[in-house]
Amino acid sequence: MRAVGIDLGTTNSAVAAYDAARGEARMLPAEGGRTWTPSVIGLRRADGKEKQLVGEVAVNWAARAPRDTIFSVKRLMGRHFDDEVVAKARERLNYRIVRGPQDDPRAHVELGDETCTPAQLSALLLRQLAANASRSLGEEVTHAVITVPAYFLDAQRAATREAAERAGLHVKKIIDEPTAAAVAFFGLDKNPGDRSRILVYDLGGGTFDISVLNAVKDAEGHGQFHILQYSGDNWLGGDDFDLAIVEYIIASMKREHGVDPSHDKGFLMTAKAKAEQAKRTLNEDTVAYIVIPAAYRTGEGRPLDVELVLTREQFDKMIEPMVRRTMELVERTLEEQDLTPDDISDVLLVGGATYTRKVYETVESHFGREKVRRNINPMECVGLGAGILAGTLHGVECPEPACRRPNDDAASRCTECGASLVNAPVFGETGLNEVTGPSMGIAAVRGNRRDVFVPIIPRNTPYPLPEPQQRSFEATDSRFIRVPVYEGDDPVASRNAEQGVIEFELPEEIDPHSRVDVSFNYTVNRTINVRISVAGTDMVKVDTPRRQLPPTPAPEPTQETDNGWNEQLLSYVMGHTEEFLQSYEAHIEPNQRMKVNRDLEQAQRALDHGETGEYERLTGLLYDDMLHQCGLASKFAQAERAAEGASPELTGLINEAVRLVKEAHARGNPEQLSQQERNLTTLVARALTEANVAEVPTEEGFGGELRIPDHRLDT
C-alpha cells in the first residue's frame, strides 16, 4: 500500500508523497516535469472515434473543442442543478450543464454524447494523478489524503469521496485545504515546543477559504493542530480575476468594432488564456499588452484582432471589490473568535491567486508584512500538507476508552473489541482536532411557522463526535415522513443548502403523533449519518441522505399569522438580550456590543411601527447574537442554557468548565483558553443532546413537528 496526498484543485491539481526517512514531503512530477496538472477534461474526435483527454493535452485541444472542454468542474461537485452557483456557472462556462436523468436533481455535464456527474469527471482526473504518482514512485498508489475547500458542504465532500472511489483510490482522509497548508508550513521551520496561531488565507482558482488554528510542535517534533474557525466563499477565486479581464476585452470589441463576442465559445476560451497571461504579467510590470490576432470573425467572415493595453491600476480597480470581500470575511472570522490581527502570529498565503500583487499587498497591510510567511510555495503547500498527512496518519483508533486499538483505515469494526469505527478518530504522528462547518439539521413546524431550521449538530462542533447528537420531534398526522437534511445557519430551513433527504413511512401500528428521535453523527471524514427512531417501538431507520431525490420545495406561506404571539416572543427576547449584555459585559467586545445594540434598536422600531412581518426574523437575529455572535459571552450563554436541563453531575462539569475558561481568559493564555473552550463546547453539546434543549424557546416541548410534505414525491 502506498499513500499520497492529492490537492484536487479547481484550476490545477498536484500530488505529494511523504519520505519517512527524511521526515518531509515532496511534490511528484506530472507530464512535462511540472509539479501540477491542469484540472481539465477534454474530448477529441478524430476518424469517427472519441478519446477522453486529461490535463495538459485537454488544455492544448481546448481551442478546437471548446464545448467539450471541462474546467472548474470542482465548483459543481455535489450541487443541485437549481443551485444558484450552478446557475452562475451555466452563464459563465463554455460547456453544457444539464439536469440529471430520471429526475436526478444534481447538476450533470455533457461531454460528447455522454452525460456525466462532476464526480465522474473528477474521477478521470484522479485516476490520471494516481497513475502519474505510481510511475514516479515506482509502486502502485492505492491510498490518498484528498484536500477540499474548508467550506465544502456535506454533499460536496461526499462527491469528492465518490470520485476517489471511482478512480480506485481508498480515501484515508478528506482534509480541508487550509489545514493541509498549515501542516506543511508548521513542519517546515518550527522547533519542538514552538506554538503559533495561524491564519490561512487561501485564494485558489475557484474558492476562497480562511482558517484560524492553533499549532504546537510536541517534544518528538510532531505537529498538533487545533482548528478554531473557518469561513469562505465557494465562488471567489483567481478565475474571477481572469473573467474580469475577459469582460474588459469584450467591452473593447463592442467599443472598437461594434460586435459582441460574448457568445463565441472559442473566443472566450482564447480570451481567458490571454487574461491569465496578462494577470501574471501585472504582478511584475505596470502594463500588460493583450494581442489576439483574428480573435473573432464577423458574420461576413471578416477577422477582427484584439490589441489592448491593460494597466495595473485598471486591473486593481477591476478586482478591488473581490479583494475587499476576502478581507471582510477575514475580519468576520476573527471577530467570531474574539481575535484581532495582533493575536495572529503567522499569516499563510495559499493558492495561485495570492501571487496577485493587489492581494498580497492588501493582506500585508492588514496584518503587517513581518507576519506574512513567504518561505513556502503557495501553489504547493496544500499538496505538501496532504502528503505529510498521507505519510503520518496510520489509521483509526478504536473509540472505546478501554481499548484504543489502532485499526486500518478501511476497517469498519475494531479488530480487538468489535466496536464500531464509524466515528473513530485518526491516529498518527500528526494530531488533528477539527471542527464542523455550518450547522446540520432538519426542517420542522413550530406553531404557524412551517419552515423552521432546527440544528442538530451546531456549527463549529469538534469532530469526530464522541456520540451522536439527537433532537426529538412529534410526528405529524401523515404516515409518510420526509426529512430533508440541511446545512447552514439561516433560521429558515429552505434558505439553507439541502444535502439530501431521508424518507420513511410509519407502520400502521404506530400512532402518527408519536415522538420521533432524529440523531446525526459524523464519520471521521465528516460524512453525515442519520438515525431516525420512534420512541417506545423497535422502528429504526439508519441512512445517509439520498441526494438523487428531488429537492424539497419550500412550503407555501401561511395566510394567517399569529402576530400577537410573535410580538410577545420578540418582546421577551429583547428583554432577554438586554439581560445578556449586562450579565456578560466583561466578555463582550465593543464591536459585538455595537452590533447587538443596533439589532435591538431595529427590533424596537419594528414593534413601534407594527412591522409584523419582521417579528420572526428579528427574534431569530437576536437569538443568533446571544448564542453565536458574541464570542466567549455566547459560549457562556449556551452553557447556562444547557445546564438548565442537565443532570446535577453534568451541570457541575459545565460550571467548572466555565470557571476554567474565565480563568484562562483573565490570564491571557490563548492556548489554555482554546483547550478549555473546546472542553466547554463538548460538554454543552452533550447536555443539549441529553435534554433536547431547543435553540429558541417555543411553546412546543420538542424541536417541533416533523414537516409534512406538500405532496408525496416519488422515489
Side-chain angles (χ1 to χ4, degrees):
M1 169 186 106
R2 186 60 194 267
V4 296
I6 298 178
D7 173 10
L8 186 62
T10 305
T11 307
N12 296 296
S13 297
V15 184
Y18 184 70
D19 185 333
R22 295 185 176 182
E24 62 184 24
R26 64 182 177 91
M27 303 302 298
L28 299 180
E31 289 92 342
R34 295 180 301 273
T35 58
W36 48 267
T37 297
S39 302
V40 181
I41 308 296
L43 189 69
R44 177 179 180 179
R45 292 184 174 92
D47 302 324
K49 297 181 180 179
E50 294 183 347
K51 181 181 179 181
Q52 290 177 339
L53 308 175
V54 179
E56 191 67 29
V57 290
V59 173
N60 294 337
W61 191 255
R64 303 186 188 185
R67 293 184 69 87
D68 285 324
T69 301
I70 315 300
F71 58 92
S72 294
V73 74
K74 178 175 175 179
R75 284 176 155 171
L76 306 177
M77 294 284 279
R79 293 190 180 276
H80 284 173
F81 179 78
D82 294 325
D83 191 305
E84 291 181 4
V85 170
V86 176
K88 187 183 293 186
R90 294 202 305 272
E91 295 175 359
R92 300 171 68 172
L93 300 177
N94 58 287
Y95 49 86
R96 295 172 295 276
I97 303 170
V98 299
R99 194 182 301 276
Q102 299 178 343
D103 295 325
D104 186 337
R106 296 173 299 173
H108 286 57
V109 173
E110 288 187 0
L111 182 62
D113 297 328
E114 295 186 26
T115 300
C116 310
T117 65
Q120 289 173 310
L121 295 171
S122 294
L124 298 176
L125 176 60
L126 284 168
R127 192 175 294 122
Q128 182 68 53
L129 295 171
N132 292 344
S134 296
R135 184 166 54 251
S136 177
L137 294 170
E139 58 181 308
E140 184 182 6
V141 168
T142 57
H143 290 55
V145 170
I146 302 178
T147 65
V148 297
Y151 237 56
F152 252 24
L153 301 180
D154 184 68
Q156 296 167 292
R157 293 169 188 270
T160 303
R161 175 174 289 279
E162 177 192 340
E165 291 171 350
R166 286 179 176 274
L169 291 170
H170 174 79
V171 180
K172 288 173 67 72
K173 185 164 180 59
I174 300 287
I175 189 73
D176 295 338
E177 290 164 2
T179 302
V183 169
F185 160 72
F186 203 69
L188 194 66
D189 62 353
K190 297 295 181 178
N191 300 312
D194 283 353
R195 296 174 179 269
S196 296
R197 177 172 288 133
I198 304 170
L199 183 137
V200 183
Y201 179 104
D202 184 354
L203 189 61
T207 57
F208 174 61
D209 283 328
I210 314 145
S211 280
V212 180
L213 58 161
N214 290 333
V216 60
K217 186 163 282 191
D218 61 24
E220 288 75 33
H222 303 142
Q224 308 296 316
F225 300 89
H226 296 259
I227 291 83
L228 302 178
Q229 176 93 8
Y230 64 77
S231 182
D233 188 325
N234 274 338
W235 195 278
L236 179 61
D239 284 355
D240 300 288
F241 296 174
D242 300 337
L243 291 172
I245 300 177
V246 171
E247 292 295 330
Y248 176 74
I249 296 172
I250 291 172
S252 77
M253 294 290 284
K254 292 178 180 178
R255 184 175 59 253
E256 298 294 329
H257 303 291
V259 298
D260 182 1
S262 60
H263 300 292
D264 185 321
K265 302 297 184 183
F267 172 87
L268 294 177
M269 186 74 69
T270 304
K272 187 174 187 303
K274 291 294 184 179
E276 291 176 11
Q277 292 177 10
K279 178 180 68 176
R280 289 193 292 270
T281 298
L282 292 173
N283 291 336
E284 303 298 331
D285 300 329
T286 57
V287 174
Y289 297 94
I290 303 173
V291 179
I292 313 175
Y296 180 76
R297 289 187 179 275
T298 65
E300 298 80 25
R302 181 167 58 92
L304 300 177
D305 301 333
V306 170
E307 294 184 3
L308 284 176
V309 175
L310 177 64
T311 67
R312 183 187 294 163
E313 183 180 0
Q314 289 173 308
F315 178 59
D316 286 352
K317 188 174 181 179
M318 290 178 190
I319 67 173
E320 198 278 333
M322 291 176 268
V323 177
R324 184 173 66 247
R325 163 71 173 157
T326 69
M327 297 312 298
E328 289 171 354
L329 289 169
V330 166
E331 291 170 359
R332 189 176 73 189
T333 302
L334 291 176
E335 287 173 3
E336 289 179 358
Q337 282 294 317
D338 290 329
L339 299 174
T340 69
D342 292 339
D343 297 315
I344 301 299
S345 61
D346 303 272
V347 178
L348 184 58
L349 297 181
V350 178
T354 61
Y355 283 114
T356 305
R357 182 180 291 266
K358 176 71 172 176
V359 171
Y360 68 73
E361 287 182 347
T362 300
V363 176
E364 289 177 345
S365 174
H366 191 78
F367 287 96
R369 181 177 296 182
E370 71 283 355
K371 290 185 179 181
V372 180
R373 307 304 172 207
R374 296 190 170 277
N375 53 344
I376 187 167
N377 188 330
M379 292 285 286
E380 295 183 352
C381 54
V382 170
L384 289 171
I388 292 171
L389 292 169
T392 59
L393 297 179
H394 304 309
V396 294
E397 181 182 77
C398 176
E400 288 296 319
C403 182
R404 300 298 188 192
R405 180 183 178 85
N407 289 265
D408 184 74
D409 302 278
S412 60
R413 292 198 169 273
C414 177
T415 56
E416 179 71 19
C417 69
S420 172
L421 299 175
V422 169
N423 63 335
V426 295
F427 79 96
E429 287 91 351
T430 302
L432 292 174
N433 294 280
E434 301 172 274
V435 295
T436 64
S439 300
M440 291 287 290
I442 68 172
V445 177
R446 283 183 179 161
N448 63 345
R449 293 177 294 158
R450 303 178 58 224
D451 198 16
V452 177
F453 178 58
V454 182
I456 295 179
I457 299 179
R459 64 182 302 192
N460 291 335
T461 297
Y463 83 97
L465 305 178
E467 56 189 17
Q469 300 217 37
Q470 178 178 299
R471 296 292 293 273
S472 294
F473 302 84
E474 182 182 341
T476 65
D477 55 5
S478 171
R479 290 197 171 276
F480 178 72
I481 305 295
R482 177 183 171 90
V483 182
V485 177
Y486 293 97
E487 189 166 3
D489 292 296
D490 196 297
V492 177
S494 58
R495 293 206 293 252
N496 293 312
E498 186 174 316
Q499 302 301 298
V501 174
I502 305 293
E503 292 184 337
F504 65 99
E505 196 158 357
L506 294 175
E508 289 294 331
E509 62 272 14
I510 295 180
D511 181 0
H513 293 282
S514 299
R515 192 186 86 193
V516 176
D517 296 327
V518 180
S519 65
F520 282 10
N521 199 3
Y522 276 119
T523 68
V524 68
N525 284 302
R526 221 169 85 192
T527 299
I528 198 73
N529 284 332
V530 180
R531 183 181 188 274
I532 298 175
S533 60
V534 178
T537 76
D538 57 0
M539 187 201 144
V540 176
K541 183 177 181 65
V542 180
D543 205 351
T544 56
R546 297 177 61 187
R547 310 179 200 283
Q548 296 83 359
L549 295 179
T552 306
E556 293 294 328
T558 55
Q559 296 300 314
E560 298 181 2
T561 58
D562 188 355
N563 290 327
W565 185 84
N566 281 341
E567 181 178 355
Q568 291 176 12
L569 180 59
L570 178 56
S571 298
Y572 165 79
V573 173
M574 289 173 64
H576 194 45
T577 305
E578 291 169 351
E579 292 177 6
F580 167 83
L581 290 175
Q582 294 176 2
S583 299
Y584 302 108
E585 182 176 5
H587 299 95
I588 300 176
E589 299 295 330
N591 60 325
Q592 296 167 350
R593 174 177 287 276
M594 287 175 60
K595 180 187 183 304
V596 178
N597 282 328
R598 285 197 303 269
D599 293 341
L600 280 170
E601 291 171 2
Q602 188 178 1
Q604 187 61 56
R605 283 197 301 271
L607 289 175
D608 292 343
H609 294 89
E611 298 172 355
T612 57
E614 285 287 278
Y615 292 172
E616 181 180 331
R617 182 185 71 83
L618 292 168
T619 297
L621 183 64
L622 291 174
Y623 262 99
D624 187 60
D625 285 342
M626 289 187 287
L627 296 178
H628 299 295
Q629 300 301 324
C630 288
L632 281 180
S634 292
K635 292 183 184 296
F636 296 152
Q638 291 175 6
E640 182 179 342
R641 280 182 50 74
E644 289 175 358
S647 65
E649 178 185 2
L650 186 52
T651 297
L653 292 174
I654 290 173
N655 292 337
E656 175 64 10
V658 168
R659 184 185 67 79
L660 293 173
V661 170
K662 290 180 177 179
E663 284 186 359
H665 180 262
R667 292 172 181 164
N669 186 327
E671 300 300 327
Q672 186 182 26
L673 177 62
S674 174
Q675 181 180 354
Q676 297 300 339
E677 281 188 68
R678 292 177 65 85
N679 180 49
L680 177 60
T681 299
T682 301
L683 291 170
V684 167
R686 177 179 158 192
L688 291 176
T689 299
E690 290 181 359
N692 291 314
V693 175
E695 288 293 321
V696 178
T698 67
E699 295 180 337
E700 291 80 15
F702 300 113
E705 292 183 341
L706 292 178
R707 207 178 84 186
I708 308 171
D710 292 330
H711 58 280
R712 179 161 182 167
L713 300 172
D714 294 333
T715 59

